[in-house]
Amino acid sequence: SGVGHIATLPTRKSESAVMKPFKATLQNKGAWKALGPITLAGTLDKHEFKYSWKNGQYHCFQPTVFDQTTSTGIKTHVYELIGQVNDLEQCSNKPKIHFLTGEPQSKNLKREYREATTAMQKILAQRAEVIQEDEIPRFSEQMAVKILSHGA
């Protein structure tokens, strides 16, 4: 009977699922090959980004899933992401981080997700960009144009 219980748990969204429409658009446009991994040293820690592109400044594309089970969990995740950006503030190659966000599976937490990611964008201002899950296709098209216009 325990197996039946486990089977009913919702599957959590993965970072690769959040990244999928971005990657597909850039691959279709021929811009994906311009992206590569980078590790940047912050004040406290090193930060690895699997997907980055340099155009004067590093643009790091960070998939992040807001699939926490509570409102507090979502806020804690936002604090961690803001901390990551703040840690890179003194980095000599200060990047602009584009957070491609996946919304929570729970319909009860969608409002908290919107509020938290909107607040996160206000706090981070120009240092980062928070892309809501439903905005990823449009953002992907815009980034493909930028990358290709700078010679992918």
Side-chain angles (χ1 to χ4, degrees), residues 92-109:
S92 59
N93 291 313
K94 189 163 47 174
K96 178 159 187 175
I97 302 173
H98 305 272
F99 291 105
L100 285 73
T101 65
E103 61 186 29
Q105 300 284 351
S106 169
K107 293 192 184 339
N108 298 337
L109 293 173

Side-chain angles (χ1 to χ4, degrees), residues 12 64-78 80 102-106 109:
R12 293 174 61 87
T64 186
V65 180
F66 283 86
D67 212 2
Q68 292 74 15
T69 55
T70 65
S71 176
T72 301
I74 288 176
K75 289 175 187 169
T76 300
H77 190 52
V78 166
E80 290 168 356
E103 61 186 29
Q105 300 284 351
S106 169
L109 293 173

Side-chain angles (χ1 to χ4, degrees), residues 7 21 42 60 76 91 108 116 129 132 135 146:
C60 300
T76 300
C91 179
N108 298 337
E129 182 176 13
Q132 306 280 349
E135 297 170 344
K146 283 185 184 177

Side-chain angles (χ1 to χ4, degrees), residues 34-35 52-55 57-59 61 143 146-147 150:
L35 273 60
S52 68
W53 168 64
K54 188 168 186 183
N55 171 29
Q57 171 184 37
Y58 279 105
H59 292 267
F61 306 97
M143 283 310 305
K146 283 185 184 177
I147 291 168
H150 290 89

Side-chain angles (χ1 to χ4, degrees), residues 11-26 32 50-51 61-68 77 81 98-105 113 117 129-140:
T11 50
R12 293 174 61 87
K13 196 175 288 181
S14 68
E15 288 184 355
S16 61
V18 172
M19 200 67 180
K20 192 175 183 180
F22 180 74
K23 183 176 181 179
T25 298
L26 267 64
W32 183 251
K50 292 180 188 172
Y51 316 102
F61 306 97
Q62 178 69 43
T64 186
V65 180
F66 283 86
D67 212 2
Q68 292 74 15
H77 190 52
L81 297 173
H98 305 272
F99 291 105
L100 285 73
T101 65
E103 61 186 29
Q105 300 284 351
Y113 157 76
T117 53
E129 182 176 13
V130 180
I131 299 100
Q132 306 280 349
E133 187 168 1
D134 59 4
E135 297 170 344
I136 292 174
R138 182 177 51 81
F139 171 77
S140 303

Side-chain angles (χ1 to χ4, degrees), residues 27-41:
Q27 283 178 327
N28 290 341
K29 304 277 186 188
W32 183 251
K33 65 184 179 290
L35 273 60
I38 187 168
T39 301
L40 297 171

